[in-house]
Short mmCIF file of all heavy atoms in Angstrom, two decimals:
data_model
loop_
_atom_site.label_atom_id
_atom_site.label_comp_id
_atom_site.label_asym_id
_atom_site.label_seq_id
_atom_site.Cartn_x
_atom_site.Cartn_y
_atom_site.Cartn_z
N MET J 266 -19.05 7.06 -6.18
CA MET J 266 -18.09 6.47 -5.28
C MET J 266 -18.70 5.26 -4.59
O MET J 266 -19.78 5.30 -4.07
CB MET J 266 -17.65 7.51 -4.21
CG MET J 266 -16.72 8.57 -4.76
SD MET J 266 -15.25 7.88 -5.52
CE MET J 266 -14.13 9.28 -5.33
N SER J 267 -17.94 4.18 -4.57
CA SER J 267 -18.43 2.94 -3.94
C SER J 267 -17.82 2.76 -2.56
O SER J 267 -16.69 3.09 -2.32
CB SER J 267 -18.09 1.76 -4.83
OG SER J 267 -18.37 0.55 -4.17
N GLU J 268 -18.64 2.17 -1.66
CA GLU J 268 -18.13 1.86 -0.32
C GLU J 268 -17.61 0.45 -0.22
O GLU J 268 -17.14 0.02 0.80
CB GLU J 268 -19.27 2.06 0.70
CG GLU J 268 -19.79 3.46 0.79
CD GLU J 268 -18.89 4.36 1.64
OE1 GLU J 268 -18.26 3.82 2.56
OE2 GLU J 268 -18.82 5.55 1.35
N THR J 269 -17.75 -0.26 -1.33
CA THR J 269 -17.43 -1.71 -1.28
C THR J 269 -16.02 -2.01 -1.74
O THR J 269 -15.65 -3.15 -1.91
CB THR J 269 -18.41 -2.49 -2.16
OG1 THR J 269 -18.33 -2.00 -3.49
CG2 THR J 269 -19.81 -2.38 -1.66
N GLN J 270 -15.24 -1.01 -1.99
CA GLN J 270 -13.85 -1.19 -2.41
C GLN J 270 -13.09 -2.05 -1.41
O GLN J 270 -13.15 -1.84 -0.22
CB GLN J 270 -13.15 0.14 -2.53
CG GLN J 270 -11.76 0.03 -3.07
CD GLN J 270 -11.08 1.39 -3.15
OE1 GLN J 270 -11.05 2.12 -2.18
NE2 GLN J 270 -10.57 1.76 -4.28
N GLN J 271 -12.43 -3.07 -1.95
CA GLN J 271 -11.76 -4.03 -1.07
C GLN J 271 -10.44 -3.46 -0.56
O GLN J 271 -9.61 -3.01 -1.31
CB GLN J 271 -11.49 -5.32 -1.82
CG GLN J 271 -11.33 -6.49 -0.91
CD GLN J 271 -11.34 -7.80 -1.69
OE1 GLN J 271 -11.20 -7.80 -2.91
NE2 GLN J 271 -11.51 -8.89 -1.00
N THR J 272 -10.29 -3.48 0.74
CA THR J 272 -9.04 -3.01 1.32
C THR J 272 -8.49 -4.08 2.23
O THR J 272 -9.06 -5.15 2.41
CB THR J 272 -9.28 -1.72 2.14
OG1 THR J 272 -10.30 -1.95 3.06
CG2 THR J 272 -9.63 -0.57 1.23
N VAL J 273 -7.34 -3.78 2.76
CA VAL J 273 -6.63 -4.77 3.60
C VAL J 273 -7.32 -4.89 4.96
O VAL J 273 -7.79 -3.94 5.52
CB VAL J 273 -5.16 -4.35 3.77
CG1 VAL J 273 -4.40 -5.39 4.60
CG2 VAL J 273 -4.53 -4.14 2.42
N GLU J 274 -7.32 -6.12 5.49
CA GLU J 274 -7.87 -6.32 6.84
C GLU J 274 -7.09 -5.48 7.85
O GLU J 274 -5.87 -5.40 7.77
CB GLU J 274 -7.71 -7.80 7.24
CG GLU J 274 -8.49 -8.76 6.37
CD GLU J 274 -9.98 -8.70 6.71
OE1 GLU J 274 -10.32 -8.25 7.81
OE2 GLU J 274 -10.78 -9.13 5.85
N PRO J 275 -7.83 -4.86 8.78
CA PRO J 275 -7.16 -3.96 9.78
C PRO J 275 -6.00 -4.63 10.53
O PRO J 275 -4.97 -4.02 10.73
CB PRO J 275 -8.30 -3.60 10.72
CG PRO J 275 -9.54 -3.74 9.90
CD PRO J 275 -9.26 -4.90 8.96
N TRP J 276 -6.18 -5.86 10.94
CA TRP J 276 -5.12 -6.53 11.72
C TRP J 276 -3.89 -6.74 10.88
O TRP J 276 -2.75 -6.65 11.36
CB TRP J 276 -5.61 -7.87 12.29
CG TRP J 276 -5.90 -8.91 11.23
CD1 TRP J 276 -7.14 -9.14 10.65
CD2 TRP J 276 -4.99 -9.81 10.60
NE1 TRP J 276 -7.00 -10.13 9.72
CE2 TRP J 276 -5.71 -10.58 9.68
CE3 TRP J 276 -3.61 -10.06 10.76
CZ2 TRP J 276 -5.11 -11.56 8.87
CZ3 TRP J 276 -3.02 -11.04 9.96
CH2 TRP J 276 -3.77 -11.79 9.05
N LEU J 277 -4.09 -7.03 9.59
CA LEU J 277 -2.96 -7.23 8.69
C LEU J 277 -2.33 -5.87 8.37
O LEU J 277 -1.10 -5.77 8.33
CB LEU J 277 -3.47 -7.89 7.38
CG LEU J 277 -2.42 -8.13 6.31
CD1 LEU J 277 -1.30 -9.02 6.81
CD2 LEU J 277 -3.06 -8.76 5.09
N ARG J 278 -3.17 -4.93 8.18
CA ARG J 278 -2.73 -3.58 7.89
C ARG J 278 -1.77 -3.06 8.97
O ARG J 278 -0.79 -2.39 8.68
CB ARG J 278 -3.99 -2.70 7.80
CG ARG J 278 -3.77 -1.25 7.52
CD ARG J 278 -3.25 -1.02 6.13
NE ARG J 278 -2.87 0.38 6.04
CZ ARG J 278 -1.81 0.90 6.61
NH1 ARG J 278 -1.00 0.14 7.29
NH2 ARG J 278 -1.53 2.17 6.51
N GLU J 279 -2.04 -3.39 10.20
CA GLU J 279 -1.26 -2.92 11.34
C GLU J 279 0.20 -3.40 11.29
O GLU J 279 1.09 -2.75 11.79
CB GLU J 279 -1.90 -3.36 12.65
CG GLU J 279 -3.10 -2.54 13.06
CD GLU J 279 -2.71 -1.13 13.40
OE1 GLU J 279 -1.74 -0.94 14.17
OE2 GLU J 279 -3.36 -0.17 12.90
N ILE J 280 0.40 -4.61 10.77
CA ILE J 280 1.75 -5.19 10.80
C ILE J 280 2.52 -4.95 9.53
O ILE J 280 3.69 -5.32 9.42
CB ILE J 280 1.71 -6.69 11.12
CG1 ILE J 280 0.94 -7.46 10.04
CG2 ILE J 280 1.05 -6.92 12.49
CD1 ILE J 280 1.03 -8.96 10.19
N LEU J 281 1.88 -4.35 8.53
CA LEU J 281 2.56 -4.10 7.27
C LEU J 281 3.49 -2.92 7.38
O LEU J 281 3.16 -1.90 7.96
CB LEU J 281 1.53 -3.83 6.16
CG LEU J 281 0.65 -5.00 5.81
CD1 LEU J 281 -0.39 -4.53 4.76
CD2 LEU J 281 1.45 -6.15 5.28
N ARG J 282 4.68 -3.11 6.84
CA ARG J 282 5.66 -2.04 6.84
C ARG J 282 6.29 -1.95 5.45
O ARG J 282 6.32 -2.91 4.70
CB ARG J 282 6.77 -2.30 7.87
CG ARG J 282 6.30 -2.23 9.31
CD ARG J 282 6.00 -0.78 9.70
NE ARG J 282 5.69 -0.65 11.13
CZ ARG J 282 4.48 -0.80 11.62
NH1 ARG J 282 3.48 -1.12 10.83
NH2 ARG J 282 4.27 -0.65 12.92
N CYS J 283 6.83 -0.81 5.14
CA CYS J 283 7.53 -0.64 3.86
C CYS J 283 8.73 -1.58 3.85
O CYS J 283 9.52 -1.58 4.79
CB CYS J 283 7.98 0.81 3.74
SG CYS J 283 9.03 1.11 2.31
N PRO J 284 8.89 -2.38 2.80
CA PRO J 284 10.01 -3.33 2.74
C PRO J 284 11.36 -2.61 2.59
O PRO J 284 12.41 -3.20 2.85
CB PRO J 284 9.68 -4.19 1.50
CG PRO J 284 8.81 -3.32 0.67
CD PRO J 284 8.01 -2.48 1.65
N GLN J 285 11.31 -1.38 2.18
CA GLN J 285 12.57 -0.64 1.93
C GLN J 285 13.07 0.07 3.18
O GLN J 285 14.21 -0.03 3.54
CB GLN J 285 12.36 0.36 0.79
CG GLN J 285 13.60 1.10 0.40
CD GLN J 285 13.49 1.71 -0.98
OE1 GLN J 285 13.90 1.15 -1.97
NE2 GLN J 285 12.89 2.88 -1.03
N CYS J 286 12.18 0.79 3.87
CA CYS J 286 12.60 1.58 5.02
C CYS J 286 11.97 1.11 6.31
O CYS J 286 12.26 1.66 7.36
CB CYS J 286 12.27 3.06 4.78
SG CYS J 286 10.51 3.44 4.89
N LYS J 287 11.11 0.09 6.24
CA LYS J 287 10.39 -0.44 7.42
C LYS J 287 9.49 0.60 8.06
O LYS J 287 9.16 0.51 9.22
CB LYS J 287 11.39 -0.96 8.48
CG LYS J 287 12.46 -1.89 7.90
CD LYS J 287 11.88 -3.10 7.22
CE LYS J 287 12.99 -4.02 6.73
NZ LYS J 287 12.46 -5.05 5.80
N GLY J 288 9.11 1.59 7.25
CA GLY J 288 8.25 2.63 7.76
C GLY J 288 6.78 2.26 7.69
O GLY J 288 6.41 1.27 7.08
N ILE J 289 5.94 3.09 8.35
CA ILE J 289 4.50 2.86 8.34
C ILE J 289 3.94 3.24 7.00
O ILE J 289 4.36 4.22 6.36
CB ILE J 289 3.88 3.70 9.46
CG1 ILE J 289 4.31 3.13 10.81
CG2 ILE J 289 2.36 3.69 9.35
CD1 ILE J 289 3.88 3.99 11.99
N LEU J 290 2.95 2.46 6.54
CA LEU J 290 2.31 2.69 5.25
C LEU J 290 0.96 3.37 5.44
O LEU J 290 0.28 3.13 6.43
CB LEU J 290 2.15 1.37 4.51
CG LEU J 290 3.49 0.66 4.18
CD1 LEU J 290 3.21 -0.76 3.71
CD2 LEU J 290 4.23 1.44 3.11
N THR J 291 0.59 4.17 4.45
CA THR J 291 -0.65 4.89 4.50
C THR J 291 -1.59 4.39 3.43
O THR J 291 -1.17 4.19 2.28
CB THR J 291 -0.38 6.40 4.27
OG1 THR J 291 0.56 6.86 5.20
CG2 THR J 291 -1.64 7.22 4.40
N ASP J 292 -2.87 4.21 3.79
CA ASP J 292 -3.85 3.81 2.80
C ASP J 292 -4.11 4.90 1.79
O ASP J 292 -4.22 6.10 2.14
CB ASP J 292 -5.18 3.48 3.50
CG ASP J 292 -5.07 2.17 4.29
OD1 ASP J 292 -5.01 1.12 3.65
OD2 ASP J 292 -5.07 2.24 5.52
N ALA J 293 -4.20 4.54 0.53
CA ALA J 293 -4.47 5.51 -0.52
C ALA J 293 -5.10 4.81 -1.70
O ALA J 293 -5.18 3.58 -1.75
CB ALA J 293 -3.19 6.20 -0.92
N THR J 294 -5.52 5.63 -2.66
CA THR J 294 -6.07 5.06 -3.89
C THR J 294 -5.19 5.43 -5.06
O THR J 294 -4.97 6.59 -5.32
CB THR J 294 -7.50 5.61 -4.10
OG1 THR J 294 -8.29 5.27 -2.99
CG2 THR J 294 -8.12 4.98 -5.34
N GLY J 295 -4.66 4.43 -5.73
CA GLY J 295 -3.82 4.65 -6.89
C GLY J 295 -4.65 4.77 -8.13
O GLY J 295 -5.88 4.75 -8.10
N PRO J 296 -4.00 4.89 -9.29
CA PRO J 296 -4.67 5.07 -10.57
C PRO J 296 -5.48 3.84 -10.96
O PRO J 296 -6.53 3.95 -11.61
CB PRO J 296 -3.53 5.32 -11.55
CG PRO J 296 -2.32 4.79 -10.91
CD PRO J 296 -2.55 4.96 -9.43
N ALA J 297 -5.03 2.66 -10.61
CA ALA J 297 -5.74 1.43 -11.02
C ALA J 297 -6.27 0.62 -9.85
O ALA J 297 -7.30 -0.01 -9.94
CB ALA J 297 -4.79 0.57 -11.86
N THR J 298 -5.57 0.66 -8.74
CA THR J 298 -5.93 -0.14 -7.59
C THR J 298 -5.76 0.68 -6.29
O THR J 298 -5.11 1.71 -6.34
CB THR J 298 -4.99 -1.38 -7.45
OG1 THR J 298 -3.67 -0.90 -7.20
CG2 THR J 298 -5.02 -2.22 -8.72
N PRO J 299 -6.35 0.17 -5.22
CA PRO J 299 -5.98 0.80 -3.93
C PRO J 299 -4.50 0.55 -3.69
O PRO J 299 -3.94 -0.38 -4.30
CB PRO J 299 -6.82 0.00 -2.91
CG PRO J 299 -7.85 -0.72 -3.68
CD PRO J 299 -7.26 -0.94 -5.05
N GLU J 300 -3.88 1.33 -2.86
CA GLU J 300 -2.47 1.10 -2.63
C GLU J 300 -2.09 1.53 -1.22
O GLU J 300 -2.82 2.22 -0.54
CB GLU J 300 -1.63 1.85 -3.67
CG GLU J 300 -1.72 3.35 -3.58
CD GLU J 300 -0.97 4.06 -4.70
OE1 GLU J 300 -0.59 3.39 -5.69
OE2 GLU J 300 -0.75 5.27 -4.55
N LEU J 301 -0.92 1.07 -0.83
CA LEU J 301 -0.33 1.47 0.44
C LEU J 301 0.88 2.35 0.11
O LEU J 301 1.74 1.94 -0.65
CB LEU J 301 0.10 0.25 1.24
CG LEU J 301 -1.03 -0.65 1.74
CD1 LEU J 301 -0.46 -1.92 2.37
CD2 LEU J 301 -1.92 0.07 2.72
N ARG J 302 0.88 3.53 0.68
CA ARG J 302 1.94 4.46 0.35
C ARG J 302 2.97 4.60 1.47
O ARG J 302 2.61 4.68 2.63
CB ARG J 302 1.36 5.84 0.07
CG ARG J 302 0.71 5.88 -1.27
CD ARG J 302 0.17 7.26 -1.57
NE ARG J 302 -0.63 7.21 -2.80
CZ ARG J 302 -1.41 8.18 -3.23
NH1 ARG J 302 -1.51 9.27 -2.54
NH2 ARG J 302 -2.09 8.05 -4.35
N CYS J 303 4.23 4.68 1.05
CA CYS J 303 5.30 5.03 1.97
C CYS J 303 5.71 6.45 1.62
O CYS J 303 6.22 6.70 0.53
CB CYS J 303 6.49 4.09 1.85
SG CYS J 303 7.84 4.62 2.93
N ILE J 304 5.44 7.36 2.54
CA ILE J 304 5.78 8.76 2.27
C ILE J 304 7.28 8.96 2.26
O ILE J 304 7.80 9.73 1.48
CB ILE J 304 5.12 9.64 3.37
CG1 ILE J 304 3.61 9.42 3.42
CG2 ILE J 304 5.42 11.12 3.10
CD1 ILE J 304 2.93 9.59 2.09
N THR J 305 7.98 8.23 3.11
CA THR J 305 9.43 8.36 3.21
C THR J 305 10.10 8.03 1.88
O THR J 305 10.99 8.73 1.42
CB THR J 305 9.99 7.43 4.31
OG1 THR J 305 9.32 7.72 5.52
CG2 THR J 305 11.48 7.62 4.48
N CYS J 306 9.67 6.94 1.26
CA CYS J 306 10.28 6.48 0.03
C CYS J 306 9.56 7.04 -1.21
O CYS J 306 10.02 6.82 -2.34
CB CYS J 306 10.25 4.95 -0.05
SG CYS J 306 11.07 4.15 1.32
N SER J 307 8.43 7.69 -1.03
CA SER J 307 7.63 8.16 -2.15
C SER J 307 7.26 7.00 -3.08
O SER J 307 7.41 7.08 -4.29
CB SER J 307 8.30 9.26 -2.93
OG SER J 307 8.38 10.42 -2.15
N LEU J 308 6.81 5.90 -2.47
CA LEU J 308 6.41 4.73 -3.24
C LEU J 308 4.98 4.33 -2.87
O LEU J 308 4.55 4.48 -1.74
CB LEU J 308 7.35 3.55 -2.95
CG LEU J 308 8.78 3.67 -3.45
CD1 LEU J 308 9.60 2.47 -2.97
CD2 LEU J 308 8.82 3.72 -4.96
N GLY J 309 4.26 3.83 -3.87
CA GLY J 309 2.92 3.32 -3.64
C GLY J 309 2.89 1.84 -4.00
O GLY J 309 3.17 1.45 -5.13
N TYR J 310 2.56 1.02 -2.99
CA TYR J 310 2.49 -0.43 -3.21
C TYR J 310 1.07 -0.81 -3.55
O TYR J 310 0.15 -0.52 -2.78
CB TYR J 310 2.96 -1.17 -1.96
CG TYR J 310 4.40 -0.83 -1.59
CD1 TYR J 310 4.69 0.15 -0.66
CD2 TYR J 310 5.44 -1.51 -2.20
CE1 TYR J 310 5.99 0.48 -0.34
CE2 TYR J 310 6.75 -1.20 -1.88
CZ TYR J 310 7.02 -0.20 -0.96
OH TYR J 310 8.32 0.11 -0.63
N PRO J 311 0.86 -1.47 -4.70
CA PRO J 311 -0.51 -1.81 -5.10
C PRO J 311 -1.13 -2.87 -4.21
O PRO J 311 -0.43 -3.73 -3.67
CB PRO J 311 -0.34 -2.33 -6.53
CG PRO J 311 1.09 -2.83 -6.60
CD PRO J 311 1.88 -1.94 -5.67
N ILE J 312 -2.44 -2.82 -4.07
CA ILE J 312 -3.19 -3.86 -3.37
C ILE J 312 -3.98 -4.60 -4.44
O ILE J 312 -4.91 -4.07 -5.04
CB ILE J 312 -4.13 -3.26 -2.32
CG1 ILE J 312 -3.32 -2.52 -1.24
CG2 ILE J 312 -4.95 -4.38 -1.66
CD1 ILE J 312 -4.18 -1.76 -0.25
N ASP J 313 -3.58 -5.82 -4.71
CA ASP J 313 -4.17 -6.63 -5.78
C ASP J 313 -5.21 -7.58 -5.18
O ASP J 313 -4.87 -8.52 -4.49
CB ASP J 313 -3.06 -7.41 -6.47
CG ASP J 313 -3.59 -8.19 -7.67
OD1 ASP J 313 -4.76 -8.09 -7.98
OD2 ASP J 313 -2.77 -8.89 -8.29
N SER J 314 -6.47 -7.32 -5.43
CA SER J 314 -7.56 -8.13 -4.90
C SER J 314 -7.45 -8.33 -3.40
O SER J 314 -7.64 -9.42 -2.88
CB SER J 314 -7.57 -9.51 -5.61
OG SER J 314 -7.72 -9.36 -6.97
N GLY J 315 -7.15 -7.25 -2.70
CA GLY J 315 -7.07 -7.29 -1.24
C GLY J 315 -5.72 -7.75 -0.71
O GLY J 315 -5.54 -7.79 0.49
N VAL J 316 -4.82 -8.12 -1.62
CA VAL J 316 -3.50 -8.59 -1.17
C VAL J 316 -2.45 -7.52 -1.47
O VAL J 316 -2.19 -7.20 -2.65
CB VAL J 316 -3.10 -9.89 -1.90
CG1 VAL J 316 -1.75 -10.40 -1.44
CG2 VAL J 316 -4.16 -10.97 -1.67
N PRO J 317 -1.83 -6.97 -0.43
CA PRO J 317 -0.81 -5.94 -0.66
C PRO J 317 0.44 -6.55 -1.31
O PRO J 317 0.92 -7.57 -0.87
CB PRO J 317 -0.49 -5.44 0.75
CG PRO J 317 -1.50 -6.05 1.65
CD PRO J 317 -2.05 -7.26 0.98
N VAL J 318 0.90 -5.89 -2.35
CA VAL J 318 2.11 -6.35 -3.04
C VAL J 318 3.26 -5.46 -2.58
O VAL J 318 3.51 -4.38 -3.14
CB VAL J 318 1.96 -6.26 -4.56
CG1 VAL J 318 3.21 -6.81 -5.27
CG2 VAL J 318 0.72 -7.06 -5.01
N LEU J 319 3.94 -5.90 -1.53
CA LEU J 319 5.00 -5.10 -0.93
C LEU J 319 6.36 -5.41 -1.54
O LEU J 319 7.25 -5.95 -0.91
CB LEU J 319 5.02 -5.29 0.58
CG LEU J 319 3.74 -4.82 1.28
CD1 LEU J 319 3.87 -5.04 2.78
CD2 LEU J 319 3.45 -3.36 1.00
N LEU J 320 6.47 -5.11 -2.80
CA LEU J 320 7.71 -5.32 -3.55
C LEU J 320 8.14 -3.98 -4.14
O LEU J 320 7.40 -3.35 -4.87
CB LEU J 320 7.51 -6.34 -4.67
CG LEU J 320 7.12 -7.76 -4.22
CD1 LEU J 320 6.80 -8.61 -5.43
CD2 LEU J 320 8.24 -8.39 -3.40
N VAL J 321 9.35 -3.59 -3.82
CA VAL J 321 9.84 -2.30 -4.29
C VAL J 321 9.84 -2.25 -5.81
O VAL J 321 9.50 -1.23 -6.43
CB VAL J 321 11.26 -2.04 -3.74
CG1 VAL J 321 11.84 -0.74 -4.32
CG2 VAL J 321 11.24 -1.96 -2.20
N ASP J 322 10.17 -3.37 -6.42
CA ASP J 322 10.20 -3.43 -7.90
C ASP J 322 8.85 -3.14 -8.55
O ASP J 322 8.78 -2.66 -9.68
CB ASP J 322 10.69 -4.80 -8.37
CG ASP J 322 12.20 -4.96 -8.17
OD1 ASP J 322 12.87 -3.96 -7.86
OD2 ASP J 322 12.68 -6.09 -8.30
N LEU J 323 7.79 -3.47 -7.84
CA LEU J 323 6.45 -3.31 -8.39
C LEU J 323 5.73 -2.05 -7.85
O LEU J 323 4.62 -1.75 -8.20
CB LEU J 323 5.58 -4.54 -8.04
CG LEU J 323 6.09 -5.84 -8.67
CD1 LEU J 323 5.14 -6.99 -8.31
CD2 LEU J 323 6.15 -5.75 -10.18
N ALA J 324 6.43 -1.34 -7.01
CA ALA J 324 5.83 -0.14 -6.43
C ALA J 324 5.81 1.00 -7.44
O ALA J 324 6.59 1.04 -8.38
CB ALA J 324 6.61 0.29 -5.19
N ARG J 325 4.89 1.90 -7.22
CA ARG J 325 4.71 3.05 -8.08
C ARG J 325 5.38 4.27 -7.46
O ARG J 325 5.25 4.53 -6.28
CB ARG J 325 3.18 3.33 -8.20
CG ARG J 325 2.81 4.37 -9.21
CD ARG J 325 1.31 4.38 -9.36
NE ARG J 325 0.63 4.93 -8.17
CZ ARG J 325 0.38 6.24 -8.02
NH1 ARG J 325 0.72 7.11 -8.94
NH2 ARG J 325 -0.23 6.70 -6.94
N ARG J 326 6.10 5.00 -8.28
CA ARG J 326 6.79 6.22 -7.79
C ARG J 326 5.77 7.31 -7.62
O ARG J 326 4.96 7.59 -8.49
CB ARG J 326 7.82 6.65 -8.81
CG ARG J 326 9.13 5.96 -8.65
CD ARG J 326 10.25 6.97 -8.25
NE ARG J 326 11.31 6.36 -7.48
CZ ARG J 326 11.54 6.67 -6.20
NH1 ARG J 326 10.84 7.59 -5.58
NH2 ARG J 326 12.49 6.08 -5.53
N LEU J 327 5.82 7.95 -6.47
CA LEU J 327 4.90 9.05 -6.17
C LEU J 327 5.61 10.37 -6.36
O LEU J 327 6.05 11.00 -5.41
CB LEU J 327 4.36 8.94 -4.75
CG LEU J 327 3.71 7.59 -4.36
CD1 LEU J 327 3.36 7.62 -2.90
CD2 LEU J 327 2.46 7.38 -5.19
N ASP J 328 5.76 10.75 -7.59
CA ASP J 328 6.46 12.00 -7.86
C ASP J 328 5.48 13.16 -7.89
O ASP J 328 4.41 13.06 -8.42
CB ASP J 328 7.21 11.91 -9.19
CG ASP J 328 8.40 10.96 -9.09
OD1 ASP J 328 9.07 10.95 -8.05
OD2 ASP J 328 8.63 10.22 -10.07
N GLY J 329 5.89 14.24 -7.30
CA GLY J 329 5.08 15.44 -7.37
C GLY J 329 3.98 15.53 -6.34
O GLY J 329 3.63 14.75 -5.58
ZN1 ZN V 246 9.61 3.27 2.70
#
């Protein structure tokens, strides 16, 4: 396990909201990239090179 995984800056992280429900996002690790999860929508938004991709179309479904 590496400690150097790139994540979102804390100040930026604070203002990020789910584009669909405007809910708070939770930090998580997806299959390929870190991601921000919306529990309400069961969606995981990928973080690409430290940049959160908050697009519903590109979000990953968190089923199960
Ligand atoms: Zn949401």
Side-chain angles (χ1 to χ4, degrees):
M266 287 302 205
S267 171
E268 296 281 330
T269 58
Q270 184 181 52
Q271 203 169 15
T272 53
V273 182
E274 296 285 339
W276 66 267
L277 178 59
R278 180 67 189 74
E279 282 293 313
I280 62 172
L281 294 177
R282 291 290 186 272
C283 173
Q285 184 162 265
C286 72
K287 311 302 182 192
I289 292 172
L290 298 168
T291 305
D292 288 289
T294 302
T298 64
E300 65 184 15
L301 294 173
R302 285 183 188 168
C303 176
I304 303 305
T305 305
C306 302
S307 292
L308 291 174
Y310 299 95
I312 298 174
D313 184 3
S314 301
V316 181
V318 182
L319 296 180
L320 297 173
V321 175
D322 285 350
L323 296 181
R325 188 172 70 88
R326 276 243 152 246
L327 305 175
D328 290 321

